[in-house]
Amino acid sequence: MVALRAVLVAALAASADAAGLRGRTALTVNPIRRVVTMLQGMQTKIVEEGKRDQELYGKFMCYCQTGASDLAASVQAAETKM
């Protein structure tokens, strides 16, 4: 009876370890999937940065085209005040 109980406890412990091992391997992510996910995240960030940079470039070009005439007008106004 004691031997049967010991065998039963050992079998339950082994099955619990096996179930825990299966659960852990199911929860780990495939390394290739991790790299693909990381690259997709990087791609999203780069696209967002590109849009932001495009907008800043547009503002800068607008300033470059109109900034010289605005500066010349303010210099002329300052000279007339003196």
Side-chain angles (χ1 to χ4, degrees):
M1 186 74 153
V2 173
L4 181 60
R5 221 182 246 172
V7 170
L8 183 59
V9 169
L12 287 174
S15 68
D17 287 340
L21 184 61
R22 276 194 309 251
R24 278 184 263 151
T25 56
L27 293 177
T28 59
V29 179
N30 183 358
I32 295 172
R33 173 54 41 200
R34 289 179 66 192
V35 170
V36 170
T37 303
M38 180 185 67
L39 290 174
Q40 289 171 340
M42 289 173 63
Q43 179 183 13
T44 304
K45 286 181 182 179
I46 290 171
V47 168
E48 289 172 0
E49 287 177 6
K51 288 179 183 177
R52 187 185 68 228
D53 290 347
Q54 185 79 24
E55 182 179 321
L56 289 174
Y57 178 77
K59 288 180 182 179
F60 178 73
M61 290 308 295
C62 180
Y63 172 76
C64 287
Q65 293 172 355
T66 61
S69 62
D70 291 344
L71 184 60
S74 67
V75 168
Q76 186 67 25
E79 286 178 355
T80 58
K81 282 185 179 179
M82 293 204 293

